[in-house]
């Protein structure tokens, strides 16, 4: 329990001599001053990036992560992104309480295919004992490559239960949760995802990252918005860069990465060790291939043509039907996904209106055929038959 009468900051854990001053100094400076100081004080172990090999072998390069997104990054979408170049995948976030209480529906979120590896299971919760036990059960059930801790979700129903970004305001609990999970699943790596702070007046990402490293976290993803921002406004990559300079573990940057040029710019400016792509992948799973090619060659490869995009969409629908076993429910569940895919298509507004009412695979196929014909993406009706329906 936090002593609200204490004159000390209840969100700042005691750190070893010398370290607390470094974190306090970083948090009290302006973004520009913090980056300048981080660059100039290479002698501090907290401000010097480690050259030691990571416990996560994919950091031998610059890995591209698919962001865990509730209702989006299920095993089907993860597999499609993997095929299109994603290096590291994470499940949709899973309630530790649901696992702790052996809720069968919660356990369904843990299902994945071996083709998805390396894959982590992301857990959220605010009870250290329950989080540790949930992590142990996850490791026993599905043997993931790592456990990821969600300290960034801004959704009210998660925050209200002291989960997600709520712990950015309660560093003692955040520390105890992280430490308990690390000890529970050792030697399996444990990573974490955070935001830059609770709101604009409490930007504490560097401090939080240091606490997580103290507890044995092996990599940290930083989303460049505060909890108060939700998904509005712009991501603050200056703060992400400060975290990358402040801790000796890989930092993955996340926020407003819409294409290969964004990823390359942020990598060069901040020194991040990897990038996590979320919303852009919802409409363009091929963004991972494009980004990898650009980082390797400096060349932008064009996106798939209309026919290729539609074949991907129809394949996604077929896989959903196979997984659900009930076509109408599967296609209804795909409506929001289909609307996301329509971004960038000619006549996307009309497509979204049609997608709101689909309930069969034949209906989606008919929309695809009509769209290809009317937008003249393919010259002849006979060519449209090449759709893999």
């Amino acid at each position: 329990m936090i002593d609200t009468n204490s004159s000390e900051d209840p969100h700042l854990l005691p750190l070893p001599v010398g370290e607390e001053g470094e974190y306090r100094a970083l948090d009290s400076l302006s973004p520009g001053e913090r980056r300048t100081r981080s660059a100039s004080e290479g002698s501090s172990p907290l401000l010097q990036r480690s050259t030691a090999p990571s416990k996560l072998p994919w950091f031998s390069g610059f890995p591209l992560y698919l962001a865990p997104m509730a209702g989006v990054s299920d095993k089907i979408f993860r597999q499609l992104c993997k095929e299109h170049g994603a290096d590291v995948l994470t499940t949709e976030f899973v309630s530790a309480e649901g696992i702790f209480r052996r809720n069968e529906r919660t356990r369904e979120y843990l299902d994945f295919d071996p083709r998805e590896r390396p894959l982590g299971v992301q857990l959220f919760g605010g009870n250290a004992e329950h989080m540790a036990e949930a992590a142990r059960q996850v490791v026993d059930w599905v043997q993931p490559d790592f456990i990821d801790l969600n300290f960034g979700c801004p959704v009210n129903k998660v925050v209200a239960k002291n989960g997600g970004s709520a712990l950015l305001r309660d560093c003692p609990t955040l520390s105890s949760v992280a430490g308990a999970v690390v000890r529970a699943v050792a030697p399996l790596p444990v990573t974490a995802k955070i935001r830059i702070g609770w709101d604009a007046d409490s930007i504490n990402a560097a401090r939080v990252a240091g606490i997580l490293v103290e507890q044995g976290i092996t990599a940290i993803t930083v989303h460049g918005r505060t909890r108060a921002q939700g998904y509005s406004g712009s991501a603050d990559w200056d703060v992400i860069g400060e975290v990358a300079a402040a801790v000796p573990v890989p930092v993955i940057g996340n926020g407003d990465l819409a294409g290969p040029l964004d990823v390359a710019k942020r990598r060069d400016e901040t020194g991040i060790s990897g990038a996590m792509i979320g919303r852009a992948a919802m409409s363009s799973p091929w963004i991972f291939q494009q980004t990898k090619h650009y980082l390797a060659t400096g060349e932008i490869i064009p996106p798939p043509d209309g026919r290729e995009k539609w074949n991907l969409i129809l394949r996604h629908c077929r896989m959903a039907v196979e997984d659900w076993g009930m076509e109408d429910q599967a296609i209804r569940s795909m409506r929001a996904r289909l609307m996301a895919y329509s971004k960038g298509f000619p006549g996307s507004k009309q497509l979204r209106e049609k997608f709101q009412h689909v309930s069969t695979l034949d209906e989606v196929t008919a929309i695809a055929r009509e769209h290809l014909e009317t937008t003249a993406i393919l010259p002849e009706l006979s060519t449209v038959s090449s759709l893999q329906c």
Side-chain angles (χ1 to χ4, degrees):
M1 180 178 295
I2 298 174
D3 180 5
T4 57
N5 296 317
S6 172
S7 61
E8 297 180 358
D9 183 350
H11 305 142
L12 178 62
L13 284 181
L15 294 172
V17 175
E19 295 181 3
E20 182 178 5
E22 296 294 345
Y23 283 119
R24 285 191 185 278
L26 279 173
D27 283 339
S28 65
L29 296 174
S30 69
E33 291 171 328
R34 286 195 293 250
R35 294 192 70 183
T36 300
R37 178 171 177 177
S38 295
S40 65
E41 296 187 6
S43 59
S44 169
L46 289 172
L47 300 177
Q48 185 175 20
R49 300 182 66 187
S50 173
T51 57
S54 170
K55 294 181 180 178
L56 306 171
W58 45 92
F59 283 106
S60 58
F62 184 83
L64 300 179
Y65 281 64
L66 170 66
M69 296 176 282
V72 175
S73 53
D74 58 18
K75 67 177 182 179
I76 295 173
F77 188 64
R78 294 196 304 265
Q79 288 173 33
L80 293 174
C81 289
K82 187 75 170 184
E83 292 174 10
H84 287 82
D87 294 305
V88 186
L89 307 175
T90 310
T91 63
E92 300 173 71
F93 74 163
V94 182
S95 165
E97 292 301 319
I99 294 172
F100 183 75
R101 302 181 192 286
R102 297 185 175 273
N103 180 287
E104 284 302 317
R105 183 176 179 183
T106 300
R107 187 167 177 174
E108 291 175 5
Y109 289 112
L110 305 178
D111 187 28
F112 68 92
D113 188 281
R115 291 174 292 175
E116 298 175 46
R117 293 186 184 277
L119 177 136
V121 170
Q122 188 182 77
L123 299 176
F124 75 91
N127 182 304
E129 180 182 352
H130 290 188
M131 284 282 281
E133 179 57 28
R136 274 192 291 264
Q137 291 186 29
V138 166
V139 173
D140 289 342
W141 288 343
V142 298
Q143 294 84 51
D145 297 288
F146 61 99
I147 295 292
D148 188 59
L149 304 180
N150 185 313
F151 297 129
C153 179
V155 176
N156 287 333
K157 67 179 182 180
V158 173
V159 171
K161 296 180 180 178
N162 205 32
S165 56
L167 296 185
L168 298 176
R169 297 190 301 176
D170 185 358
C171 287
T173 299
L174 177 142
S175 179
S176 65
V177 166
V181 173
V182 168
R183 292 188 296 271
V185 301
L188 192 75
V190 180
T191 65
K193 185 177 182 183
I194 66 174
R195 285 184 168 238
I196 61 173
W198 178 259
D199 57 27
D201 295 324
S202 56
I203 305 296
N204 62 348
R207 180 191 305 173
V208 168
I211 291 169
L212 292 172
V213 171
E214 291 274 325
Q215 293 299 332
I217 296 298
T218 57
I220 300 168
T221 299
V222 184
H223 181 90
R225 291 179 173 84
T226 64
R227 189 270 171 177
Q229 282 180 278
Y231 297 99
S232 64
S234 299
D236 188 334
W237 280 83
D238 284 341
V239 177
I240 295 175
E242 291 157 15
V243 177
V247 294
V249 299
V251 170
I252 304 101
N254 174 231
D256 298 343
L257 297 176
L261 294 174
D262 292 330
V263 175
K265 170 182 169 68
R266 298 310 186 182
R267 180 194 64 174
D268 295 343
E269 289 179 346
T270 65
I272 53 174
S273 298
M276 178 175 284
I277 300 173
R279 286 179 287 179
M282 292 172 62
S283 58
S284 308
W286 48 86
I287 189 175
F288 299 99
Q289 286 177 333
Q290 290 179 307
T291 301
K292 281 182 162 180
H293 185 83
Y294 181 74
L295 294 178
T297 68
E299 300 173 348
I300 296 287
I301 56 175
D305 63 27
R307 179 184 57 81
E308 292 171 322
K309 290 180 181 179
W310 275 112
N311 277 328
L312 174 65
I313 292 168
L314 290 170
R315 181 170 171 232
H316 192 164
C317 290
R318 287 196 304 274
M319 293 170 73
V321 171
E322 292 171 5
D323 187 60
W324 279 72
M326 294 171 286
E327 182 178 10
D328 60 338
Q329 292 188 30
I331 299 301
R332 289 173 187 273
S333 76
M334 282 290 297
R335 288 174 178 174
R337 308 307 320 286
L338 291 168
M339 287 188 272
Y341 275 128
S342 72
K343 183 179 181 181
F345 269 119
S348 59
K349 180 179 179 181
Q350 290 75 21
L351 283 176
R352 288 193 293 273
E353 291 172 352
K354 294 176 181 179
F355 286 149
Q356 291 177 21
H357 307 290
V358 294
S359 58
T360 69
L361 187 55
D362 285 344
E363 290 173 346
V364 181
T365 303
I367 293 171
R369 291 183 183 278
E370 180 184 13
H371 186 261
L372 290 172
E373 294 168 18
T374 57
T375 57
I377 295 176
L378 295 179
E380 299 177 3
L381 180 59
S382 60
T383 313
V384 182
S385 64
S386 64
L387 278 173
Q388 299 170 8
C389 305

